[in-house]
């Protein structure tokens, strides 16, 4: 395959300033990219033709296109994108809070949304419960491909650039396995002349590469982390997440304690609940003990089954009992409602379904 051109979305403002003259044009270009979500150079009205021609020689704008969309009754929209090399990844548009309207129809509060983005095509970690893992690892996403998912979803949902949005790096792939591009994307999202999404609004979910948690912490980007814990003893965790052998539970807990967090905030621990594996109160008890010294909050997630998996979705009653145990023992705990349950909601499921039809 011939060398692919980079995208304008691959660069921070400072990087573009070193490449584009005169430099005030960069602010205008950022406006077209991140405030107007343009898809072509023609749409950049106040940029001189000669500069646009020069840019078009060197850079593309959009490194991905939407090839499939599934809309759920709860407002969740799942997108499948095709990248320049034909590979596909998913992103999800999640409605977290409904708008509030008074009796006269006046809008009191706008709806709140979160975008879940992918960081890799496939994943190296190989978790036994995860559909993304089944296809193995293909490649890292570039910073521009990560950024483009958010631009594309905001554009598709006519979400104004200055409306607040949260980003969770919980789509396909292990974000910390692609740390350089992840960090670059985080910086680009934060750009004041761009989308202006602060670190506080970005959450990196990791399967627990403890050394990389430290590296992310040292970068001091102001982001939150979420740890996919899923098990309270190393034996079960290694069965679920094989690289737990190299980065065991203790090493993760120690890395979390070193991670710079906003003192008002808590570190989120995700706990995927699988029937008869980790849904018992004995596990809940161990979880309380494990997290005693950490300002934590736990998010219980229903395992979302797919054809071919041996794991099963837990009973709601067991989930609630688990939650009650944690809450009673002082741990903040929520059950993640399976958003988009009527569509292919879990990580990798839309891709799997579509590639069979492609
Ligand atoms: N690789 C990172 C982020 C992407 S996975 C991580 O593992 O944290 C995002 C979340 O989806 C993880 O918490 C993962 O455990 C969860 N997940 C994967 N497969 C799932 C399934 N079948 N049902 C429910 N959640 C799943
Ligand atoms: Fe990778 Fe996360 Fe899936 Fe594990 S759960 S295979 S780390 S994407």
């Amino acid at each position: 395959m011939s060398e692919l051109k980079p995208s304008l979305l691959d660069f921070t403002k400072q990087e573009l300033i070193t490449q584009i003259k005169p430099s005030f044009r960069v602010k205008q270009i950022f406006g077209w990219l991140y405030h107007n979500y343009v898809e072509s150079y023609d749409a950049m009205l106040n940029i001189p033709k000669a500069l646009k021609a020069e840019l078009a020689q060197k850079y593309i704008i959009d490194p991905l296109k939407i090839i499939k969309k599934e809309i759920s009754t709860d407002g969740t929209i799942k997108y499948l994108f095709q990248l320049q090399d034909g590979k596909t990844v998913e992103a999800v548009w999640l409605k977290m809070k409904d708008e509030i309207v008074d009796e006269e129809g006046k809008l009191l509060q706008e709806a709140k949304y979160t975008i879940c983005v992918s960081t890799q095509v496939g994943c190296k970690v190989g978790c036994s419960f995860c559909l993304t893992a089944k296809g193995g690892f293909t490649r890292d996403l570039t910073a521009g491909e990560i950024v483009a998912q958010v631009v594309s979803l905001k554009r598709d949902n006519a979400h104004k650039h200055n409306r607040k949005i949260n980003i969770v790096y919980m789509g396909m792939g292990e974000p910390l396995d692609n740390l350089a591009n992840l960090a670059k994307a985080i910086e680009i999202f934060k750009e004041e002349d761009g989308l202006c999404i602060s670190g506080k609004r970005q959450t990196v979910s990791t399967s627990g590469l403890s050394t990389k948690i430290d590296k992310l912490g040292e970068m001091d980007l102001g982001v939150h982390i979420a740890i996919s814990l899923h098990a309270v003893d190393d034996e079960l965790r290694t069965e679920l997440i094989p690289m737990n052998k190299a980065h065991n539970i203790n090493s993760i807990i120690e890395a979390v304690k070193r991670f710079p967090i906003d003192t008002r905030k808590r570190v989120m621990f995700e706990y995927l609940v699988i029937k008869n594996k980790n849904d018992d109160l004995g596990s809940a008890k161990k979880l309380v003990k494990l997290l005693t010294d950490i300002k934590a909050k736990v998010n219980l997630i229903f395992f979302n089954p797919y054809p071919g998996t041996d794991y099963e979705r837990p009973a709601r009653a067991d989930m609630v009992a688990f939650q009650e145990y944690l809450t009673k023992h002082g741990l903040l705990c929520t059950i993640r409602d399976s958003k988009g349950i009527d569509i292919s909601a879990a990580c990798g499921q839309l891709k799997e379904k579509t590639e069979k039809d492609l």
Side-chain angles (χ1 to χ4, degrees), residues 129-130 170-171 173-174 205-207 228 230 270 272 302-304 346:
F129 53 82
C130 174
M170 287 187 190
E174 167 50 52
S205 173
T206 177
S207 55
S228 290
H230 308 337
E270 293 162 282
L272 179 72
F302 281 96
F303 171 68
N304 206 340

Side-chain angles (χ1 to χ4, degrees), residues 226-246:
I227 306 291
S228 290
L229 192 66
H230 308 337
V232 285
D233 56 74
D234 281 315
E235 196 185 332
L236 176 62
R237 195 164 192 276
T238 304
E239 180 194 319
L240 299 175
I241 310 174
M243 64 92 195
N244 187 68
K245 267 209 167 98

